[in-house]
Amino acid sequence: MEKKRFALKKLMEAVERELLHKPDAKTLDRLSLLAGFQSWEEFQKALHGSSEADTL
């Protein structure tokens, strides 16, 4: 039983590390494509507004 508990604890630690890990730029770009944007940067501009649009 102790081995199962240890294995479960290690699995939960690994899952938590991955959930707290920020995706890399390539992954963010791919997710942005699924949302209909060309890149993560374009998605962020649409979400938060771009500085160019704010000055016009």
Side-chain angles (χ1 to χ4, degrees), residues 2-56:
E2 189 62 33
K3 286 183 179 182
K4 288 183 181 181
R5 185 175 295 145
F6 179 75
L8 182 57
K9 181 180 176 186
K10 287 296 183 183
L11 175 62
M12 291 303 295
E13 288 172 358
V15 168
E16 287 175 358
R17 273 194 309 272
E18 286 301 313
L19 289 176
L20 296 175
H21 176 69
K22 183 178 177 183
D24 63 3
K26 187 176 180 180
T27 301
L28 294 173
D29 282 341
R30 288 181 177 171
L31 290 171
S32 298
L33 285 172
L34 288 173
F37 295 90
Q38 293 298 313
S39 67
W40 180 251
E41 184 179 331
E42 292 297 320
F43 174 71
Q44 290 295 304
K45 284 180 184 177
L47 187 63
H48 300 292
S50 66
S51 59
E52 292 174 12
D54 294 340
T55 59
L56 295 178

